[in-house]
């Protein structure tokens, strides 16, 4: 059984659509931005990260094509996954030392990992949490005041081998292999930038729910605080459990919750309900998504054949719902159930790239030769945001045995919580790729600090301080914008008005998450102002006389519907056809 988030989107959703001819873009896209300001690099020698070994990685902050501001000090390039002299396999990084003195004082380094598998982390630097923001549908990049490097030292890494600008032939068959590669790279990275003794924070999203726990766990196993002092981990929209937990089991409940965005006809709704009942999905949520949990979830789900472990074909509910949604909303983007037509131009060529980019901007940003040259990227590597896992798998034969032959990252998550006491797992409520209930369903099956799951139902608020939300570089919701809950070193949050890409949709929530992770504020319920200036006069917290109340993202629930439809052959769960009866 072969599966990936990226191939689901690429192989399943997109080809169903026709290409909409875009309006031509301004010819300036093809030129480089004019040089302005001081040449970056003139004061680099004062940086604690600039030395004889790192100098070759320095990026000229004013030289990035189309970027109209100085991105400041940064370093990018390739480092081997083993011996520094062996360049056969290398990972690619883009490292932004923090503008915040607290990061150097506290000796912190944060790692960000995009998922996929096979999706590039620098792609999300540009569209989620980095200093430069170039969102789909926008004309030019702008400065992102929610960039995580404003809080701490942050590095975006294209991994495992086979992803983004990384070099080499993929050899990984499991998350243990991915972690081994990563730790080899990390030792070289720490040596290059003299980061020995730094606290390491591992973050990621989506398939990063596999990567981050396995990498954190492998780092902690080394007992080597000079290189691997993991002090916390944070993931959103993570995949931690086998696929049906993230899609089929919660889908009927999700359809009901989002009925304005998923307005299926009566026949289809009845079909969803019938399949849901037949396969025991909502019943599963009723039994296991409770607080405290009743018990450990069995390895074999009710929809699976105990002999083979494979899902019964008629129980593959999610794909059918997804395709039926595409019929109603042909521009659906699985990252956000509320997405709609038109499909936006995407400067990294993800959605748009599948249709071909506009003729005025035919090349994904990171493939522009001048961008590659500025970022010390390999000139002869074609960068793709998400490698198609059917044609260019990052796991041998496209199989990650940690997911296909095991319950995802569940085996290592408790150890990371127990050893750091600082793990955050969040989800955007609009995510239509990894359904939000999976995160809590996973948490309710983990035993950490000697106890199973959360004892109490999550209902506390997630508060975002007031800031300058009318400026394009800081625009983001404020106030109570979700829910949160913490027990025994594990924190969950649910972000309202956010899909799969939490930092893209609710950048202030992602920024606050990093403040919580670093211990700069007490938690998501804190009403303390942001710890760096976000504009708006710095008034920050709760207006006088107001109460926070409860969170605004519901947890679980059981009001399932069901469905019908047809799904493809082999791009998702291994093929089959809906029998049309449900
Ligand atoms: C640079 O690398 C060499 C070889 O690993 C090492 O001996 C030297 O100490 C490094 N320099 C710095 C400033 O870390
Ligand atoms: C950085 O790039 C700008 C714009 O291309 C250029 O004018 C400047 O000389 C470069 N600085 C360095 C140190 O190379
Ligand atoms: C790399 O090669 C050089 C020259 O052959 C050698 O002196 C050095 O020890 C090697 N470094 C490592 C890490 O093996
Ligand atoms: C790390 O420490 C633990 C507990 O003290 C020990 O069981 C383990 O063998 C050590 N691992 C290594 C690689 O030294
Ligand atoms: C490792 O990080 C913890 C915080 O998580 C810190 O308290 C501790 O001092 C660090 N250890 C070393 C040896 O730096
Ligand atoms: C729940 O946890 C148990 C024990 O760790 C594991 O064996 C089982 O596979 C998990 N169930 C699911 C559905 O992930
Ligand atoms: C109801 O929706 C399903 C799924 O999209 C579709 O196959 C069916 O034709 C629809 N029925 C009507 C009456 O539109
Ligand atoms: C890319 O170029 C480098 C340096 O010229 C070379 O070592 C490498 O083999 C090339 N890679 C490919 C895939 O052609
Ligand atoms: C937005 O913020 C930037 C940086 O703080 C500032 O230079 C700019 O004037 C602001 N724009 C508006 C419209 O307030
Ligand atoms: C799906 O079926 C079509 C038609 O039979 C075939 O051309 C295609 O290769 C199949 N796709 C996969 C991924 O097996």
């Amino acid at each position: 059984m072969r599966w990936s988030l990226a191939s689901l989107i690429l192989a399943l959703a997109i080809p169903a659509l026709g290409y909409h001819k875009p309006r031509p873009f301004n010819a300036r896209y093809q030129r480089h931005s004019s040089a302005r300001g001081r040449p970056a690099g003139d004061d680099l020698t004062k940086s604690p990260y600039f030395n004889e070994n790192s100098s070759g990685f320095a990026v000229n902050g004013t030289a990035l094509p189309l970027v109209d501001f100085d991105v400041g000090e940064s370093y990018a390039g390739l480092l081997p996954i083993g011996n520094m002299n062996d360049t056969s396999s290398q990972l690619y990084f883009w490292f932004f030392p923090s503008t915040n003195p607290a990061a150097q004082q506290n000796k912190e380094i944060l790692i960000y990992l995009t998922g996929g598998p096979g999706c590039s982390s620098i792609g999300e630097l540009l569209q989620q949490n980095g200093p430069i923001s170039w969102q789909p549908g926008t004309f030019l990049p702008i400065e992102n005041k929610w960039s995580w490097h404003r809080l701490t030292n942050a590095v975006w890494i294209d991994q495992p081998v086979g992803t983004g600008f990384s070099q080499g032939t993929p050899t990984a068959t499991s998350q243990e292999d991915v972690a081994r590669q990563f730790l080899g790279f990390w030792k070289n990275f720490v040596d290059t930038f003299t980061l020995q003794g730094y606290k390491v924070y591992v973050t990621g999203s989506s398939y990063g729910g596999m990567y981050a726990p396995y990498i954190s766990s492998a780092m902690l196993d080394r007992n080597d605080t000079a290189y691997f002092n993991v002090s916390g981990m944070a993931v959103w929209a993570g995949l931690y459990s086998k696929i049906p937990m993230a899609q089929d089991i919660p889908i009927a409940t999700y359809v009901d919750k989002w009925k304005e965005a998923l307005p299926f006809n009566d026949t289809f709704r009845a079909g969803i309900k019938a399949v849901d009942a037949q396969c025991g999905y909502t019943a599963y949520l009723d039994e296991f998504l409770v607080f405290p949990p009743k018990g450990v979830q069995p390895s074999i789900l009710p929809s699976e054949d105990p002999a083979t472990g494979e899902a019964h074909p008629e129980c593959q509910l999610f794909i059918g719902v997804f395709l039926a949604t595409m019929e109603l909303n042909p521009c659906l983007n699985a990252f956000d159930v509320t997405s709609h037509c038109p499909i936006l131009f995407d400067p990294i060529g993800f959605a748009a790239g599948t249709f071909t980019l506009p003729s005025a901007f035919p090349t994904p940003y990171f493939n522009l030769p001048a961008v590659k040259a500025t970022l010390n990227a390999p000139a002869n590597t074609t960068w793709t945001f998400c490698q198609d896992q059917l044609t260019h798998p990052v796991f041998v034969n496209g199989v990650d045995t940690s997911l296909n032959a095991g319950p995802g990252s569940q085996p290592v998550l408790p150890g990371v919580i127990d050893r750091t006491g600082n793990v955050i797992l969040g989800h955007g409520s609009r995510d239509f790729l990894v359904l939000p209930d999976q995160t809590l369903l996973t948490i309710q099956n983990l035993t950490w600090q000697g106890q199973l799951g959360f004892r109490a139902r999550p209902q506390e608020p997630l508060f975002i301080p007031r800031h300058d939300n009318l400026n394009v570089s800081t625009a983001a919701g404020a106030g109570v914008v979700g829910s949160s809950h913490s027990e025994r070193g594990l924190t969950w949050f649910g972000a309202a008005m956010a899909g799969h890409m939490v930092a893209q949709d609710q950048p202030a929530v992602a920024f606050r998450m990093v403040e919580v992770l670093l211990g700069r504020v007490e938690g998501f319920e804190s009403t303390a102002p942001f710890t760096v200036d976000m504009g708006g006069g710095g008034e920050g917290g709760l207006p006088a006389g107001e109460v926070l109340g409860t969170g605004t993202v519901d947890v679980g629930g059981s009001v399932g519907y069901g469905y019908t439809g047809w799904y493809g052959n082999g791009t998702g769960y291994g093929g089959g056809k809906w029998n049309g009866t449900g």
Side-chain angles (χ1 to χ4, degrees):
M1 198 159 72
R2 204 157 80 163
W3 189 87
S4 85
L5 302 182
S7 67
L8 177 68
I9 304 159
L10 290 170
L12 197 151
I14 303 299
L17 301 175
Y19 172 54
H20 306 274
K21 193 173 182 354
R23 277 202 234 129
F25 281 75
N26 190 311
R28 107 184 245 202
Y29 274 110
Q30 286 167 324
R31 296 204 309 270
H32 302 162
S33 64
S34 58
R36 72 182 187 90
R38 66 170 172 76
D42 58 358
D43 57 358
L44 273 185
T45 52
K46 295 190 192 116
S47 165
Y49 308 109
F50 186 86
N51 63 52
E52 57 183 314
N53 299 321
S54 69
S55 59
F57 295 104
V59 171
N60 181 343
T62 60
L64 276 165
L66 304 174
V67 175
D68 206 13
F69 55 93
D70 184 351
V71 304
E73 179 187 8
S74 74
Y75 304 84
L78 293 163
L79 279 170
I81 63 170
N83 188 313
M84 277 293 275
N85 287 343
D86 178 1
T87 56
S88 59
S89 289
Q90 303 189 81
L91 302 183
Y92 180 82
F93 68 89
W94 193 356
F95 168 40
F96 280 85
S98 185
T99 54
N100 187 346
Q104 328 310 341
Q105 276 153 25
N106 301 342
K107 298 179 109 186
E108 301 159 347
I109 176 81
L110 178 150
I111 295 162
Y112 181 81
L113 305 172
T114 299
C119 296
S120 159
S121 296
I122 64 167
E124 294 198 352
L125 180 157
L126 196 71
Q127 297 194 332
Q128 291 230 51
N129 49 13
I132 309 164
S133 175
W134 199 355
Q135 303 286 354
T138 64
F139 187 61
L140 282 173
I142 58 170
E143 188 174 4
N144 176 22
K145 293 280 184 186
W146 302 107
S147 172
W148 292 4
H149 89 300
R150 298 193 68 223
L151 291 171
T152 196
N153 300 306
V155 57
W156 287 258
I157 299 162
D158 282 356
Q159 66 87 52
V161 167
T163 304
F165 279 131
S166 71
Q167 300 289 295
T169 305
T171 56
T173 63
S174 67
Q175 291 293 326
E176 282 82 4
D177 292 343
V178 169
R180 208 173 298 119
Q181 283 183 5
F182 191 89
L183 266 59
F185 161 87
W186 189 249
K187 180 153 189 314
N188 293 330
F189 182 81
V190 167
D191 283 339
T192 301
F193 294 97
T194 60
L195 299 165
Q196 292 87 353
Y198 272 49
K199 298 179 194 70
V200 179
Y201 295 89
V202 184
T203 70
S205 69
S206 197
Y207 212 79
M210 297 289 290
Y211 297 147
Y214 277 95
I215 287 169
S216 300
S217 181
M219 284 186 166
L220 291 162
D221 289 348
R222 292 282 182 94
N223 302 331
D224 182 352
T225 49
Y227 290 91
F228 305 115
N229 192 13
V230 179
S231 300
M233 187 188 88
V235 177
W236 69 71
L239 182 72
Y240 317 103
S241 296
K242 53 167 112 175
I243 306 304
M245 298 261 283
Q247 298 190 328
D248 299 298
I249 289 177
I251 188 62
T253 299
Y254 187 87
V255 166
D256 185 66
K257 187 175 280 182
W258 286 105
K259 53 174 166 278
E260 298 289 335
L262 302 170
F264 299 126
N265 62 41
D266 289 352
T267 317
F268 197 75
R269 294 188 94 89
I272 297 176
K273 193 165 187 165
V275 174
D276 181 66
Q278 183 193 334
C279 302
Y281 289 148
T282 297
Y284 189 92
L285 290 182
D286 288 344
E287 188 172 357
F288 292 111
L289 193 50
V290 293
F291 305 88
K294 284 196 192 120
V296 172
Q297 297 162 39
S299 296
I300 298 293
L301 302 173
S303 53
E304 290 171 342
D305 180 342
T308 63
E310 296 280 318
H312 297 301
E314 69 275 17
C315 287
Q316 294 172 6
L317 185 59
F318 177 81
I319 297 289
V321 171
F322 192 88
L323 290 183
T325 310
M326 297 286 294
E327 197 175 308
L328 293 170
N329 176 12
C331 301
L332 177 76
N333 170 344
F335 296 152
D336 185 343
V337 71
T338 67
S339 59
H340 51 77
C341 291
I343 290 173
L344 303 177
F345 157 72
D346 185 354
I348 61 172
F350 187 46
T354 313
F355 299 91
T356 71
L357 279 158
S359 57
F361 194 87
T363 308
Y365 184 70
F366 288 113
N367 275 328
L368 296 175
V371 172
K372 287 183 176 181
T374 304
L375 294 179
N376 305 313
N380 55 1
T381 296
T382 302
W383 182 90
T384 304
F385 177 47
C386 289
Q387 290 286 3
D388 183 337
Q389 292 305 292
L390 295 173
T391 57
H392 295 87
V394 296
F395 290 94
V396 174
N397 297 325
V399 176
D400 172 1
T401 56
S402 307
L403 185 66
N404 287 270
S409 51
Q410 287 186 36
V412 292
L413 272 165
V416 177
I417 306 167
D418 285 343
R419 287 180 284 176
T420 64
N422 186 22
V423 169
I424 301 173
L425 306 178
H427 224 112
S429 63
R430 288 177 178 173
D431 192 350
F432 194 28
L433 184 58
V434 178
L435 299 184
D437 279 350
Q438 178 244 196
T439 295
L440 281 163
L441 210 43
T442 298
I443 288 172
Q444 292 312 75
N445 199 39
L446 300 179
T447 299
W448 75 99
Q449 298 290 342
Q451 274 192 315
L452 180 67
F454 281 152
R455 313 308 293 164
R457 189 176 192 86
Q459 58 180 15
E460 295 81 2
L462 187 172
F463 183 78
I464 295 299
R466 265 68 187 181
H467 53 271
D468 181 4
N469 65 2
L470 296 179
N471 190 308
V472 288
S473 62
T474 49
V480 177
V481 296
S483 302
S484 65
H485 187 71
S486 286
E487 289 187 36
R488 314 190 303 282
L490 174 62
T491 295
W492 167 88
F493 74 88
M497 298 173 293
H500 197 68
M501 306 293 201
V502 170
Q504 185 176 105
D505 299 331
Q506 284 288 36
V509 171
F511 195 80
R512 194 64 161 181
M513 181 193 83
V514 176
E515 292 193 317
V516 173
L517 179 70
L518 299 174
R520 304 271 170 81
V521 296
E522 278 206 22
F524 288 105
E525 287 180 77
S526 168
T527 56
F530 286 112
T531 56
V532 296
D533 180 24
M534 294 311 303
E539 68 272 27
L542 196 63
E546 292 204 21
V547 292
L548 281 180
T550 54
T552 53
V553 167
D554 290 339
V555 168
S558 108
V559 267
Y561 281 97
Y563 106 111
T564 131
W566 180 91
Y567 62 88
N569 57 340
T571 51
Y573 298 90
K577 220 172 213 181
W578 173 247
N579 66 15
T581 55

